[in-house]
Amino acid sequence: MTHYRISDAARLIGVSDDTIRRWAADGILESGTDEAGRRTVSGASLAKRALDLAPQHGDDEPVRRSARNRFTGIVTAVERSGIVAQVELQCGPNRVVSLMTSEALDDLGIEIGSRATAIVKATTVIIEAERPDPPAPPRSPQ
């Protein structure tokens, strides 16, 4: 099972180290210690907590969408160049950049500091994962 150090867990779901420690102390996250005696939390309990904290988009919305990847955040940059515009959002720890027409920018009334939601529908999503450490070679008898 995957385990994360407190600071890594906090960074993954966008909360403070103290929040992770409090959740562990309250039994919300399964915790333990690693070989070096550092406090850790289980990846499975962290994943469950992340889902519990995620905003729910239910049937009460006025429209239905096929896209499931929604990132709500604050507009941090807007660049207009002729008929095109680039908008940057900071959505928690994620930066999302969108290209659109200048007309769409005007229609949406987007400016730096606006709240906006990026909805992503992609035909390809690439996922990376860290390689596990290779096993140590066996020691030769001395």
Side-chain angles (χ1 to χ4, degrees):
M1 179 189 307
T2 301
H3 287 81
Y4 293 99
R5 291 176 53 191
I6 298 295
S7 59
D8 294 333
R11 198 170 19 261
L12 279 171
I13 64 169
V15 298
S16 70
D17 294 8
D18 288 338
T19 297
I20 296 293
R21 285 187 195 94
R22 187 175 60 252
W23 289 342
D26 292 346
I28 295 169
L29 297 176
E30 296 171 15
S31 64
T33 55
D34 64 11
E35 304 80 34
R38 295 175 296 219
R39 189 115 186 242
T40 63
V41 295
S42 81
S45 68
L46 187 64
K48 181 182 180 313
R49 186 65 178 155
L51 289 174
D52 291 343
L53 295 173
Q56 300 299 313
H57 300 286
D59 291 335
D60 58 342
E61 291 193 24
V63 296
R64 296 184 300 182
R65 295 175 192 86
S66 63
R68 300 289 183 253
N69 303 311
R70 298 170 50 96
F71 302 93
T72 299
I74 188 166
V75 176
T76 57
V78 176
E79 291 183 37
R80 181 191 302 257
S81 178
I83 63 169
V84 297
Q86 178 177 307
V87 176
E88 293 185 25
L89 299 175
Q90 191 65 40
C91 306
N94 303 302
R95 176 178 168 249
V96 179
V97 179
S98 177
L99 298 176
M100 64 182 70
T101 64
S102 291
E103 180 182 1
L105 181 72
D106 294 338
D107 288 349
L108 293 170
I110 292 175
E111 61 186 21
I112 294 175
S114 296
R115 178 186 170 113
T117 301
I119 301 171
V120 180
K121 178 80 174 190
T123 56
T124 303
V125 176
I126 298 169
I127 298 184
E128 293 180 340
E130 294 179 356
R131 268 181 225 259
D133 292 331
R139 292 184 180 212
S140 307
Q142 296 181 8

